[in-house]
Amino acid sequence: MSAVIERSLAAEPPAAGQRERVARAAHALAAWIASPRPWLALLGFVLVAGFWHLAVEVWKLPRFAGMPGLVATWREFTSRDPVYGLSLYTPEYYVHILASVRRVAEAFALATLLGVPLGLMLGWSRGFREYVFPVFEMLRPIPILAWVPLAILMFSGTESPVIFLTFLASFFATALNTMLGVESIDESYVRASRCLGARPWQVFVHVVVPGALPSIFTGLQISVGVAWFSLVAGEMVSGEAGLGYVINTSYTNVRYPTIVIGMVTLGAVGYATSALVRLAGRWLMRWRAREHGDAR
Amino acid sequence: MNGAMQLLGVAKSYGEGAARRPVLEGLDLDIPAGRLTVIIGPSGCGKSTLVRLLAGFERPTRGSVTLDGRPVGGADRRRLVVFQESALFPWMNVADNVAYGPRARGVRPQGWRPQAAALLERVGLRAFAGRYPSQLSGGMQRRAELARALVNEPEVMILDEPFRGLDAMTRELMHAYYADLFEETRRTQCFVTTDIDEAVFLADRLVVMSHAPMRVREVIEVDLPRPRRAADVLASDRANDIKMRALTLLHEEAMRAFAGGSRAAGDFLAAYARRRAPAVPTPETRA
Amino acid sequence: MNLLADPRTRATRRALVSLVAFALLWELGARSKAWFGVAVPWVGHVPPPSAVLAAWVRLLGDPGYWQSWVASLLRVLAGFTAAMAVGIPLGLLLAMNRVCRMIFFPVLELLRPIPPLAWVPAAILFWPTQELSIAFVTFVGAFFTIVLNVVGGAGAIDVRYFQAARAMGATGWNVFRRVVLPATVPAIVVGAAVGMGITWEVVVAAEMISGGGSSGATGGGMGFFIWNSYIGGAYEQIVVGMISIGIAGYACSEALRRLGARVTPWLVRA
Amino acid sequence: MRAEAPRRGRLSIEDVVKTYGRGEAAVAAVDHCSIEIPAGEICMVVGPSGCGKTTLLNAIAGFHDITSGRIVLDGETLCGPGRPQARPGADRVVVFQNGALFPWKTVLDNVCFGPRMQGRAGAREIEQRARALMAEAGLAGCERSYPAELSSGTRRRVEIVRALMNDPSVLLFDEPYRALDSLTRSVMHESLLQTWYRDPVTIFFITHDLEEAIFLGHRLVVMTARPCRPKAVIEIDIPHPRDYGVLTSPRFRALMAEASALVREEAEQAFAAGDAER
């Protein structure tokens, strides 16, 4: 009987775990295709795009008349020689995307670099929080865009104010969520580590940081969204390149289809960047992913 | 006397194709009217699936589930469930929770109000009628849930490990409460648990289930006198024999469950295998 | 009982110390050019708190300042209530009806990342008056947050509540009114509080970008007031505007949170 | 059995009092509690929920202070007059009610955590000892898994091995098996006894489950309702080694009857008062 136990107790070889996960993912995908879900989602898009097309270009409803139509925008977007100079094939389109993405990346990195440590300290040491959090909480409610004039005063040129605004939004979101993350760590983990002889700084490194990680990544995802929010505003007010700038100038120069191109691109790039953050989170916190996957 | 339920050749599996997971195969089970049937089996053997089938939340893949001979439809008030974690509506106070069933069915207040008040009194919660569930202790929540079910006068009560998670003392007092309620109402009860002492104390009929596929391994008639008192059951040799019999059956099932790869039983056998304990130091000899 | 040692007063004492220190540093930094000849980077170009305070006292008497407050508040409330009026029912519909959810949820999910301000040009084109276009952008800002929160909240209701309700004979409408709605209220409150925060952000930006709306200089709202102060060189007023909006935004969110707490008495406060 | 120096772990709790809050808002949790636990004994502490048992355990572990009295371990005062709060340390490791394995560390890293933090030995040596101890407890093979992948029973046993890696003088259990179903719990009992037979460390075990208390303990301290102090001490003279067959022996049932009578009065008082015993 003990032979039965020894053989079964040995955990199955990890390779099987890997293969099993891939098989399960493939199976889930097949089930998703078979289910009505993707087709209904497509129906949703068709309905919205269809209404937009009909309202503007076919029925020409009041108010919709002046708007850029679906077909017009699509033709502009995919033409080799776009009327207003911006389409998939013009390098300028990618220059603007790059300008915006670079600004968000720069501001997001800075916000993470400053926000996460500050959040960890705010959550970990009560003294530090009692001194620093009141000022933090006083500045946080001020709408990011109210900082625009001050940003222009404080920073020379047109580039740094935009970066500052984008940074500010992300910074507050990241620091706050990191702090909440530290506070939400189950106290028994901290106590267990102290029982096992860990000194305070070891508790910080081995318990507080990994324990707060899930909330840190929630914060980072919000921070990316907020970064794009304030980037657009910044670029509209004082930018020279970037998607916000494109949208604004397209409006002033009556290049309406380009407005829509700008908006859709912003949506897509914004979605991609937050997906990137989600993936990084999932990869860094593998122990969580396994929790839902393999636990029998 | 109605309220007899029967499962004939019931099979249930989840998922399709490669991921099909059969949980039940060809299960035959009798739940006689007016008696307290306790169902016990190793964890992970499909007891919760059985509860969902009896309650009508799910349909069997094959076979039939009948109440007094008639096949069971969806969930309805003739077969009410008390879940493992409380399903009291957190946003309603105790009184509204208890009154929910009759009100939802449009029964006139004169029809249920006196009985609801009596039930609240009976479970000792009249003073807490205005409280929200989150303001009650575990034991009090369970009593409120029993009252909420009983006010609808179900023919069968299905309980899925309702007292798990309560501390042992509250559990003991809840056992007494529940047994008295049963002896008063004599409604058919189907009580699912993994706790042997709870099973022996409560049951008229103890059904020990096998593991994967879940089948009736043995039915033990618990002919202890009623009303049951904890002290008497503890002292009774008959109760002790029943407990030993059930324990042995369950250990054998755990052995088979382990061969089926169930992790929970795996711990069981891993520890159980090394019964040959080493020579033993007692604290006194060494100090 | 040593007053100083009591944790509560110690916390407030430390808060005061830090706020005063912040103000002092700001004052020093701002006046660094005048007092020390060399401007401290960034802070050097910002008006000092003393000047801001003086400007604020002066502004308290100026009706234009208060009109800007009212204009912004009205726009926020208009956009916010519209977002709630459309967002909550839609959210509940999507939560209750699986087919609707599978059709419209993906579309909403893709429109959400488009920053609300990107809608400003399209809104100006679409709506006849600037007032309406600002309100629309405010609406967009809060709408997505509220809908997604409601769908999330309603979707997270424990299935056992439905099973219990149905077993006791409750029909569709009763289940909606007595189970789904109350269980979703906490998510609605969270969505509203976050939505309110976003509306303030959007109103200020929209007012700044579109020149403060049709009702001229004074009725332009706080955003315009700030932008106007910047153009006019009255830098102290910029900071007054910033802090005023901060207070307004915080007050509105706090009011919502309090209202939320009253509406959900069963939620045990931590 | 490894020969080793006379066993450490003599714990004496001398007239300990603990009250929360001040003035009229003060709530007494522990009221003049004195318990002497000889080295190597499994001392079970039973009492109604919310009576202050956990407060006592937390005081021994050093998670918070005591108002008066003394707690001494092997002659060294952990906390007492002049030093109200003990310093948490690896000589008194706590096994928590809902488990406290670090979910973000593999099982092996969890088990090696204590010695690695204290830097008591080389990395390789620590890992070797960890693998040996895990094999002894029948946990070979799950070194690289994460806690979330294990069954709750296995997680509890890993947590005990993690504690034993530090050669503690006392193991402090705070209702560790409460969340488990009864069958898994009986497995945990047998596995804990096996571990104790191999290395008889002093165990201070809080529980509300009388069967668990009598099956495992040498002695059973019955606590009163809040504020808790020892109401009675029952010697459990069932010989070791014990296995599940003991549960139905006459002596066991007699002890169960005696203990549950004692505890019932306290529970009914708490039950009637309807205070939140969650």
Side-chain angles (χ1 to χ4, degrees):
Chain A
M1 200 238 319
S2 62
V4 171
I5 293 152
E6 256 51 35
R7 194 157 31 73
S8 320
L9 258 188
E12 78 281 0
Q18 205 60 27
R19 259 203 317 282
E20 192 189 304
R21 253 196 302 286
V22 168
R24 185 177 304 123
H27 177 72
L29 189 63
W32 185 71
I33 303 283
S35 76
R37 196 177 292 275
W39 315 113
L40 287 173
L42 197 61
L43 176 65
F45 285 117
V46 166
L47 281 176
V48 170
F51 173 75
W52 172 23
H53 173 61
L54 293 174
V56 176
E57 286 165 336
V58 176
W59 299 330
K60 292 196 178 356
L61 298 174
R63 302 257 55 75
F64 282 93
M67 299 290 285
L70 170 71
V71 172
T73 311
W74 179 256
R75 203 177 294 120
E76 177 74 6
F77 188 44
T78 51
S79 82
R80 289 199 180 285
D81 170 23
V83 173
Y84 303 114
L86 203 69
S87 80
L88 277 176
Y89 301 95
T90 57
E92 202 193 335
Y93 176 65
Y94 299 101
V95 164
H96 287 300
I97 293 180
L98 209 62
S100 289
V101 169
R102 190 176 46 73
R103 285 183 187 135
V104 166
E106 206 175 304
F108 176 74
L110 203 59
T112 310
L113 219 62
L114 294 176
V116 170
L118 176 70
L120 289 171
M121 283 306 296
L122 282 172
W124 178 240
S125 127
R126 196 138 66 98
F128 183 79
R129 182 168 63 245
E130 280 174 1
Y131 278 114
V132 172
F133 196 62
V135 175
F136 180 90
E137 201 54 13
M138 187 187 77
L139 297 175
R140 193 168 59 84
I142 298 175
I144 301 302
L145 274 303
W147 286 89
V148 168
L150 224 56
I152 296 172
L153 286 176
M154 286 200 287
F155 295 92
S156 55
T158 58
E159 193 58 24
S160 32
V162 178
I163 305 279
F164 172 71
L165 288 168
T166 318
F167 156 78
L168 212 55
S170 303
F171 172 72
F172 281 119
T174 308
L176 189 67
N177 276 283
T178 306
M179 181 182 98
L180 295 176
V182 171
E183 281 169 0
S184 67
I185 294 175
D186 185 336
E187 199 189 10
S188 49
Y189 291 136
V190 173
R191 285 181 164 178
S193 60
R194 288 179 59 206
C195 259
L196 297 167
R199 281 181 295 281
W201 64 272
Q202 289 172 319
V203 174
F204 188 76
V205 170
H206 289 280
V207 174
V208 173
V209 173
L213 221 48
S215 303
I216 289 177
F217 268 91
T218 322
L220 292 183
Q221 265 191 283
I222 296 170
S223 144
V224 164
V226 173
W228 279 103
F229 172 93
S230 24
L231 173 84
V232 168
E235 283 177 349
M236 278 187 174
V237 173
S238 79
E240 262 157 30
L243 294 170
Y245 171 78
V246 162
I247 292 177
N248 207 23
T249 46
S250 310
Y251 166 66
T252 44
N253 306 339
V254 195
R255 301 200 294 247
Y256 296 158
T258 326
I259 295 177
V260 177
I261 294 174
M263 287 170 69
V264 169
T265 315
L266 256 174
V269 175
Y271 192 83
T273 41
S274 59
L276 214 64
V277 171
R278 238 194 329 273
L279 278 177
R282 196 164 299 150
W283 178 78
L284 206 61
M285 295 186 283
R286 283 186 304 286
W287 51 272
R288 273 170 68 92
R290 282 196 183 175
E291 189 174 72
H292 314 298
D294 294 357
R296 269 195 298 279
Chain B
M1 180 69 179
N2 47 26
M5 290 195 74
Q6 198 181 38
L7 280 82
L8 280 175
V10 163
K12 179 69 184 177
S13 54
Y14 293 98
E16 289 86 24
R20 207 171 71 82
R21 231 173 9 83
V23 175
L24 302 182
E25 284 294 332
L27 170 67
D28 301 324
L29 176 66
D30 267 305
I31 300 172
R35 302 194 68 200
L36 206 163
T37 306
V38 173
I39 296 178
I40 191 163
S43 56
C45 74
K47 296 196 295 297
S48 299
T49 309
L50 176 62
V51 165
R52 286 196 295 271
L53 288 172
L54 288 170
F57 298 140
E58 279 169 24
R59 292 274 184 292
T61 318
R62 275 192 318 282
S64 70
V65 179
T66 58
L67 169 62
D68 298 336
R70 286 189 312 284
V72 151
D76 78 47
R77 72 175 179 80
R78 284 197 303 277
R79 290 159 288 108
L80 284 181
V81 177
V82 175
F83 297 98
Q84 197 171 102
E85 284 98 24
S86 155
L88 291 173
F89 301 126
W91 50 85
M92 294 181 198
N93 62 34
V94 170
D96 290 343
N97 259 293
V98 172
Y100 180 79
R103 267 201 197 122
R105 294 196 306 279
V107 177
R108 287 191 330 286
Q110 308 86 320
W112 53 267
R113 198 177 293 283
Q115 205 207 358
L119 265 170
L120 274 179
E121 182 64 37
R122 179 71 191 74
V123 292
L125 287 175
R126 197 167 48 76
F128 300 95
R131 291 276 190 87
Y132 284 103
S134 53
Q135 298 164 321
L136 302 179
S137 70
M140 290 151 81
Q141 283 181 17
R142 303 282 72 193
R143 285 181 269 153
E145 196 140 8
L146 285 175
R148 183 175 77 171
L150 286 172
V151 82
N152 301 289
E153 291 160 347
E155 285 163 29
V156 179
M157 286 267 287
I158 305 153
L159 303 99
D160 184 4
E161 292 185 83
F163 307 139
R164 181 171 174 183
L166 298 179
D167 67 270
M169 265 139 277
T170 316
R171 272 165 80 104
E172 215 178 286
L173 293 163
M174 284 308 294
H175 289 161
Y177 243 98
Y178 174 65
D180 294 349
L181 272 176
F182 166 68
E183 278 138 27
E184 247 173 60
T185 59
R186 284 292 169 180
R187 292 191 187 289
T188 315
Q189 306 286 326
C190 174
F191 193 99
V192 171
T193 183
T194 56
D195 183 334
I196 295 169
D197 294 309
E198 182 173 67
V200 171
F201 176 79
L202 294 175
D204 290 334
R205 213 167 145 271
L206 178 55
V207 178
V208 180
M209 305 305 281
S210 68
H211 182 273
M214 186 164 102
R215 283 209 182 76
V216 174
R217 177 66 196 283
E218 186 170 314
V219 177
I220 307 173
E221 282 303 321
V222 180
D223 46 13
L224 300 174
R226 280 193 185 277
R228 302 261 170 93
R229 287 295 163 262
D232 313 343
V233 170
L234 199 57
S236 127
D237 290 334
R238 172 68 184 132
N240 199 32
D241 298 342
I242 296 173
K243 178 175 175 179
M244 271 306 290
R245 177 65 189 146
L247 260 174
T248 327
L249 287 170
L250 282 169
H251 281 181
E252 278 165 28
E253 278 316 312
M255 195 100 64
R256 276 204 324 86
F258 177 73
S262 137
R263 264 183 191 272
D267 314 327
F268 190 82
L269 271 171
Y272 192 51
R274 287 181 318 289
R275 291 284 303 289
R276 304 164 308 290
V280 172
T282 52
E284 294 71 22
T285 52
R286 253 181 316 53
Chain C
M1 214 255 294
N2 176 344
L3 199 62
L4 284 181
D6 166 20
R8 251 189 341 284
T9 48
R10 190 186 60 186
T12 36
R13 191 162 43 81
R14 286 185 172 178
L16 281 176
V17 163
S18 74
L19 290 171
V20 165
F22 175 76
L24 277 178
L25 280 173
W26 177 8
E27 185 74 26
L28 270 172
R31 293 203 186 281
S32 58
K33 189 146 181 42
W35 289 348
F36 313 117
V38 61
V40 165
W42 307 328
V43 182
H45 311 288
V46 169
S50 48
V52 171
L53 218 58
W56 206 341
V57 168
R58 219 175 37 263
L59 278 171
L60 290 181
D62 170 0
Y65 168 70
W66 295 107
Q67 275 163 357
S68 309
W69 261 78
V70 169
S72 289
L73 192 62
L74 288 180
R75 286 194 187 111
V76 163
L77 291 183
F80 178 73
T81 24
M84 295 282 277
V86 176
I88 295 177
L90 180 61
L92 287 171
L93 170 68
L94 294 190
M96 288 295 283
N97 182 318
R98 234 160 62 80
V99 174
C100 286
R101 182 165 65 248
M102 285 206 269
I103 294 175
F104 292 110
F105 197 75
V107 180
L108 287 176
E109 197 59 26
L110 262 179
L111 289 176
R112 185 167 56 87
I114 299 178
L117 291 164
W119 293 88
V120 166
I124 293 172
L125 274 178
F126 183 80
W127 294 97
T129 70
Q130 221 160 6
E131 203 56 46
L132 275 173
S133 46
I134 294 180
F136 172 74
V137 175
T138 325
F139 163 81
V140 165
F143 170 72
F144 285 112
T145 307
I146 290 168
V147 173
L148 295 175
N149 254 296
V150 168
V151 174
I157 300 174
D158 191 323
V159 70
R160 286 201 321 277
Y161 296 137
F162 291 117
Q163 289 171 338
R166 218 169 299 121
M168 287 190 269
T171 57
W173 171 246
N174 182 293
V175 170
F176 176 76
R177 198 166 52 82
R178 303 279 282 160
V179 177
V180 175
L181 211 51
T184 315
V185 163
I188 293 176
V189 169
V190 166
V194 173
M196 175 61 86
I198 295 176
T199 25
W200 273 103
E201 304 262 348
V202 172
V203 159
V204 169
E207 285 167 354
M208 247 185 236
I209 292 170
S210 61
S214 54
S215 45
T218 51
M222 291 310 279
F224 182 73
F225 170 80
I226 291 177
W227 190 253
N228 214 8
S229 310
Y230 166 63
I231 305 281
Y235 297 151
E236 304 78 19
Q237 290 187 200
I238 296 175
V239 183
V240 169
M242 287 169 68
I243 298 178
S244 310
I245 300 174
I247 294 170
Y250 192 80
C252 291
S253 295
E254 196 50 36
L256 268 176
R257 263 192 291 277
R258 287 243 165 73
L259 184 68
R262 217 142 23 117
V263 172
T264 56
W266 69 86
L267 286 183
V268 174
R269 284 293 159 273
Chain D
M1 267 305 293
R2 285 187 302 275
E4 103 263 351
R7 188 69 199 147
R8 293 167 283 115
R10 198 167 58 76
L11 181 68
S12 61
I13 301 165
E14 296 157 6
D15 192 31
V16 166
V17 171
K18 170 63 183 169
T19 50
Y20 289 102
R22 268 188 292 278
E24 68 298 330
V27 172
V30 180
D31 172 27
H32 298 290
C33 169
S34 298
I35 306 174
E36 277 298 325
I37 306 170
E41 175 182 89
I42 301 178
C43 170
M44 309 301 291
V45 177
V46 171
S49 285
C51 77
K53 321 192 282 279
T54 306
T55 308
L56 186 59
L57 181 137
N58 286 340
I60 301 169
F63 297 150
H64 58 61
D65 60 2
I66 56 176
T67 311
S68 71
R70 235 154 59 99
I71 301 179
V72 179
L73 177 60
D74 294 330
E76 183 218 339
T77 305
L78 298 175
C79 55
R83 196 151 68 91
Q85 181 162 354
R87 217 168 50 78
D91 54 348
R92 290 150 288 129
V93 185
V94 175
V95 176
F96 295 86
Q97 181 169 117
N98 300 316
L101 284 182
F102 304 126
W104 48 81
K105 286 180 184 293
T106 62
V107 165
L108 189 62
D109 291 342
N110 262 289
V111 171
C112 300
F113 184 81
R116 277 186 188 151
M117 289 301 114
Q118 297 150 43
R120 290 216 313 234
R124 223 170 40 72
E125 196 189 325
I126 293 175
E127 212 174 289
Q128 246 170 0
R129 182 150 183 263
R131 288 183 192 281
L133 265 180
M134 282 177 69
E136 230 171 68
L139 293 166
C142 55
E143 285 85 353
R144 271 203 313 284
S145 322
Y146 282 97
E149 299 169 58
L150 308 173
S151 71
S152 43
T154 316
R155 271 203 296 270
R156 283 297 173 286
R157 290 187 316 175
V158 169
E159 200 163 345
I160 292 170
V161 170
R162 178 174 75 172
L164 291 175
M165 273 290 285
N166 304 280
D167 294 324
S169 308
V170 181
L171 272 182
L172 302 168
F173 285 91
D174 182 5
E175 297 187 54
Y177 305 135
R178 174 165 180 173
L180 307 180
D181 68 271
S182 320
L183 267 173
T184 317
R185 199 181 296 142
S186 64
V187 167
M188 292 300 110
H189 294 161
E190 294 210 15
S191 131
L192 179 61
L193 285 185
Q194 303 291 348
T195 312
W196 189 83
Y197 296 146
R198 276 197 306 278
D199 171 16
V201 64
T202 309
I203 290 180
F204 181 90
F205 195 110
I206 290 182
T207 181
H208 56 266
D209 182 342
L210 286 181
E211 187 176 277
E212 176 173 74
I214 296 173
F215 179 74
L216 293 174
H218 290 102
R219 249 172 4 128
L220 170 57
V221 177
V222 179
M223 290 295 205
T224 62
R226 179 195 292 272
C228 74
R229 56 176 169 63
K231 170 177 181 176
V233 178
I234 303 174
E235 292 298 329
I236 303 169
D237 48 17
I238 301 174
H240 279 282
R242 302 174 182 168
D243 68 19
Y244 84 94
V246 158
L247 295 177
T248 48
S249 71
R251 183 61 191 136
F252 184 89
R253 284 157 57 198
L255 286 168
M256 273 291 282
E258 183 190 350
S260 58
L262 278 168
V263 166
R264 178 180 297 283
E265 296 147 24
E266 302 301 327
E268 251 151 18
Q269 192 194 349
F271 199 75
D275 65 357
E277 341 106 327
R278 266 163 302 122

